[in-house]
Amino acid sequence: MKTAAFALALTASWTGANAYWKGFNVQATKADGSCRTQADWERDFNTMKALPGGFSSMRVYASSDCNTLANAVPAALNTGGQILASVWTQDENHYNAEKAALLSAVQRYGTRWLVAVGVGSEDLYRKETSAGRLAQQINEVRNLLNSNGGSGIQVGHVDTWTAWVDPANTAVIQACDFVGTNGFPYFQNTQSNPIDQGYNLFWQSVQATRDVVNRVKPGTWVWVTETGWPTGGPTENQAVASTPNLQRYWSEVACSAFKNGHAFWYALIDYSASPSFGVLDNNYNPKINLAC
């Protein structure tokens, strides 16, 4: 049985917002590994808009890789879409290329396409950086935007909920305008995690993140930046990958998350990945009923 207390607590903490960003995570490559073109990104935006719920925003994983922003931003503007952009932080040359790609997009197109910017993704979970360095990079990207017409654009970081509740990472929370949390009950294989516990485990992870964030930097919003349930892949303890389980997880978790705050589902389409979290098949047809 799902527990409503977690969702109700989040609703209370988010009361006052008139609208929320809701969308999907979208990768920059296609089934054959080639990079998405502007036309491909436009197809993604138009596909999302046609789904039940009329999604208009997406999260991308990088700025320079596969010319993501160079192709996705004009696609967003042509279709009325918006992008939660990302800046990859590992390797200084890569990081500098990411900042340059973001700057180029802002200078050329302004910021009306830009939801916010996530600096790094699960770097703390993978222990690829220090909290101090990541906080510095968040501030660097914010200063870059502020100096180039992007004042007021929120800049934060995306990581697993387990990284956010680690006291070693409080410097990152302090640097963030928003905190993006990723939570996957499917992968919580040291706990009882069948699909009928998915709702509880997910909202527990969000609430745990919010509790820490509110202690460290009160008033900072926690966004759901990744969650989902796979239709194919290995069994993780009691979590079974299947289409019926995705349907249940979507109906219980997605439909509550989209109503209670900014949320980006993982993922729109992921082709032959294993485990496969995409809600669309390779022909861009929904695997499940996406109505809420």
Side-chain angles (χ1 to χ4, degrees):
M1 178 182 295
K2 64 183 182 181
T3 303
F6 302 112
L8 290 174
L10 288 162
T11 301
S13 65
W14 280 326
T15 296
N18 295 319
Y20 303 119
W21 299 110
K22 61 177 184 177
F24 293 89
N25 287 264
V26 183
Q27 65 190 57
T29 53
K30 298 185 285 188
D32 62 2
S34 63
C35 295
R36 270 176 160 75
T37 64
Q38 180 179 329
D40 294 320
W41 289 110
E42 289 188 12
R43 180 186 185 185
D44 294 332
F45 277 114
N46 286 326
T47 298
M48 291 193 308
K49 288 170 63 178
L51 296 175
F55 301 92
S56 63
S57 56
M58 66 169 62
R59 174 177 174 246
V60 299
Y61 303 125
S63 292
S64 63
D65 297 357
C66 265
N67 294 315
T68 293
L69 293 188
N71 289 322
V73 173
L77 293 172
N78 287 346
T79 59
Q82 299 85 29
I83 298 172
L84 171 53
S86 297
V87 170
W88 199 254
T89 60
Q90 299 308 304
D91 176 67
E92 285 301 311
N93 289 335
H94 192 183
Y95 171 56
N96 289 332
E98 290 281 279
K99 289 189 295 180
L102 175 63
L103 176 60
S104 176
V106 169
Q107 289 178 329
R108 182 171 182 180
Y109 299 108
T111 60
R112 60 192 177 96
W113 57 273
L114 186 55
V115 173
V117 180
V119 180
S121 181
E122 298 191 351
D123 310 67
L124 300 174
Y125 166 73
R126 295 190 302 269
K127 300 188 183 302
E128 293 177 343
T129 190
S130 67
R133 174 55 181 152
L134 185 53
Q136 181 182 23
Q137 290 172 308
I138 292 167
N139 289 325
E140 288 171 356
V141 172
R142 182 184 296 109
N143 291 337
L144 178 73
L145 289 170
N146 288 344
S147 301
N148 290 277
S151 179
I153 297 295
Q154 291 198 324
V155 180
H157 173 66
V158 171
D159 224 302
T160 64
W161 71 272
T162 53
W164 289 121
V165 301
D166 185 343
N169 297 326
T170 55
V172 179
I173 296 174
Q174 291 167 341
C176 285
D177 299 320
F178 75 94
V179 164
T181 188
N182 298 347
F184 291 88
Y186 168 78
F187 287 124
Q188 291 180 229
N189 53 21
T190 61
Q191 299 173 263
S192 176
N193 67 337
I195 186 59
D196 60 5
Q197 288 299 314
Y199 179 95
N200 287 346
L201 288 173
F202 171 74
W203 284 115
Q204 286 168 0
S205 75
V206 175
Q207 191 61 52
T209 303
R210 282 208 61 86
D211 288 345
V212 171
V213 171
N214 282 333
R215 287 197 299 269
V216 174
K217 192 177 180 183
T220 302
W221 275 42
V222 173
W223 299 19
V224 174
T225 38
E226 290 185 23
T227 193
W229 196 281
T231 55
T235 297
E236 294 283 350
N237 191 22
Q238 296 165 297
V240 177
S242 72
T243 300
N245 284 351
L246 170 59
Q247 180 68 73
R248 179 170 177 179
Y249 194 72
W250 175 273
S251 297
E252 294 184 353
V253 174
C255 293
S256 59
F258 291 141
K259 293 177 182 177
N260 289 322
H262 305 308
F264 293 82
W265 196 258
Y266 186 86
L268 183 66
I269 186 169
D270 58 7
Y271 307 108
S272 58
S274 181
S276 177
F277 285 86
V279 299
L280 304 181
D281 64 22
N282 288 4
N283 295 315
Y284 273 69
N285 297 313
K287 296 178 181 179
I288 59 171
N289 181 357
L290 296 170
C292 287

